[in-house]
């Protein structure tokens, strides 16, 4: 389990170093996950330790939402002023995130079948 934690924290640290060092406007953990993804693709699979222990980490992902819950309480007045706009943006961005890949998949499958829903 410790090796899995080291993998994940190491890639998060690498992402933070890249994000801050290069001034990239992407959060370090996101860059770290991208680096991990590239590494796993290059290795053509995950090491046994990640395959074994990653599900245990995923079972406790809800702990990552505790800071967000604290922020909601800390910025309650700000959310009261901008909450409706924020909710609208979140709903629209979620719909776009779900619809665009779905439509792209539909289009690619139609092209593959020779159907032509272009």
């Amino acid at each position: 389990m410790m090796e899995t934690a080291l993998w994940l924290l190491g890639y998060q640290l690498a992402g933070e170093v890249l994000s801050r060092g290069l001034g990239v406007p992407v959060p370090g953990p996101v860059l770290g996950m991208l680096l991990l993804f590239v590494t796993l693709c290059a290795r053509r699979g995950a090491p046994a330790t990640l395959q074994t222990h990653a599900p245990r980490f995923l079972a406790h992902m809800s702990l990552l939402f505790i800071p967000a819950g604290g922020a909601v309480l800390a910025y309650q007045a700000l959310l009261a002023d901008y909450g409706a706009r924020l909710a609208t943006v979140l709903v629209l961005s979620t719909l776009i995130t779900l619809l665009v890949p779905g439509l792209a998949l539909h289009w690619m499958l139609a092209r593959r079948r020779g159907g032509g829903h272009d």
Side-chain angles (χ1 to χ4, degrees), residues 10-116:
Y11 277 96
Q12 182 176 352
L13 176 64
E16 284 289 344
V17 168
L18 280 175
S19 176
R20 293 172 191 244
L22 298 175
V24 180
V26 178
V30 173
L31 287 178
M33 289 305 289
L34 182 63
L35 290 171
L36 177 61
F37 176 73
V38 168
T39 301
L40 295 178
C41 286
R43 290 177 53 116
R44 298 185 190 266
T49 184
L50 281 179
Q51 290 178 5
T52 303
H53 299 294
R56 291 184 189 156
F57 280 96
L58 291 173
H60 300 290
M61 287 260 311
S62 61
L63 293 174
L64 297 175
F65 295 106
I66 292 174
V72 167
L73 295 176
Y75 295 103
Q76 197 169 19
L78 190 61
L79 286 173
D81 293 339
Y82 297 102
R85 290 184 218 167
L86 181 61
T88 301
V89 169
L90 287 171
V91 168
L92 288 175
S93 64
T94 300
L95 287 175
I96 290 169
T97 301
L98 293 173
L99 287 174
V100 169
L103 292 172
L105 177 64
H106 178 72
W107 177 74
M108 287 188 291
L109 290 174
R111 281 192 60 173
R112 182 182 225 190
R113 284 189 224 127

